Amino acid sequence: MNKLTKSSVILAGLLSAGIAFAEYPTKAITMVIPYGAGGGTDVLARALQPALEKSLGQTIVVSNLPGGGGILGFTKVANAKPDGYTVTIPNNVIFATEGMGNATYKHTDFSYLGNVLTEDYLVAVRADGPWQTWGELVEDMQAHPSKVTFGFSGFGGSTHVASELLADVAGYQAKQIPHDGSSKAVLAAMGGHIDALMLNLGDLSSGLKSGKLRPLVSLGDQRLEEYPDVPTLKELGHNFALTNWRGIAAPAGVDDEVRAAWAKAIEVATQDPAFRQTIAAQGAQVDFMAPGEALDLRMTGLAESFIATAKKLKQ
């Protein structure tokens, strides 16, 4: 049974339980994006917006609220009324910030309404810089500890944890430089203010397509179709892989009617040709999962891994 079939079964079960979709939503929905405009999460939200509005029958207001590497926006959603009218697009960062102790919310303060996509972490450098390969960059960082500046999005966030994990696995020291959002990290790298950076592929997309950034290595399980010449860390001899996810979440406590309506809307939206074209152009993979036991188990597993790692990093 494929993912779409499984999701349809879940939806059928929700429908058979007597949930009336017509009762929700009855007004506009606010989708809080905890980062600035132009980053991967912002692009995803605006690509999803038309299809979600059509399916839900209501306006979705995309509201950018950057700050604290995502903490400000996620905090607003976690503390909102659990009525389905305030949602956000989370990722591994909510687990990382919980483990680092940087946020007041916990991952259990959110109700996961559906997974949308999965994407790889990549390391990139300025295209006209001195490093042509990941091996060259690692050699330089090993030979000159803390000389190379390595950027990421948000102190204590997902890409911070991923950067620290990578440094430990590959055996180097770099000067880690946090930025308030991925778009600022990309601009810093393109402008030569940092030497390298770690971000999700979607967040790096603008810099890579401009030709100003060069991807050196992927942390995914296999090479990316869009960048077939970029090796994975596993290929280079490290038994290590790490991916990110993006979905839709509301404050914990939303009722079954809301969950069912969003499950239906997300499933329909992720099949929309225009949306899939945008995601393909970003190099990400559509990976729809409906709310329910399977998605909750996935979130629990990711939370345990990221929280434990983040706690070690802050010691």
Side-chain angles (χ1 to χ4, degrees), residues 20-97:
F21 287 106
E23 296 179 10
Y24 171 89
T26 60
K27 61 181 181 179
I29 298 165
T30 298
M31 179 177 286
V32 177
I33 305 305
Y35 308 104
T41 302
D42 183 64
V43 170
L44 172 60
R46 297 181 191 280
L48 267 177
Q49 185 181 17
L52 287 175
E53 288 181 334
K54 182 177 180 180
S55 182
L56 289 167
Q58 287 291 340
T59 299
I60 294 179
V61 180
V62 177
S63 176
N64 295 86
L65 187 62
I71 291 176
L72 183 62
F74 289 132
T75 299
K76 179 176 180 177
V77 175
N79 293 331
K81 186 177 179 180
D83 56 6
Y85 292 100
T86 304
V87 299
T88 188
I89 297 182
N91 56 64
N92 286 337
V93 70
I94 61 173
F95 310 137
T97 51

Side-chain angles (χ1 to χ4, degrees), residues 204-224:
L204 275 172
S205 182
S206 61
L208 297 177
K209 290 182 177 179
S210 72
K212 293 183 179 180
L213 295 182
R214 176 191 298 119
L216 296 185
V217 68
S218 166
L219 273 62
D221 289 310
Q222 57 187 9
R223 293 196 180 200
L224 296 161

Side-chain angles (χ1 to χ4, degrees), residues 20 65 108-109 153 202:
L65 187 62
T108 51
D109 292 331
S153 174

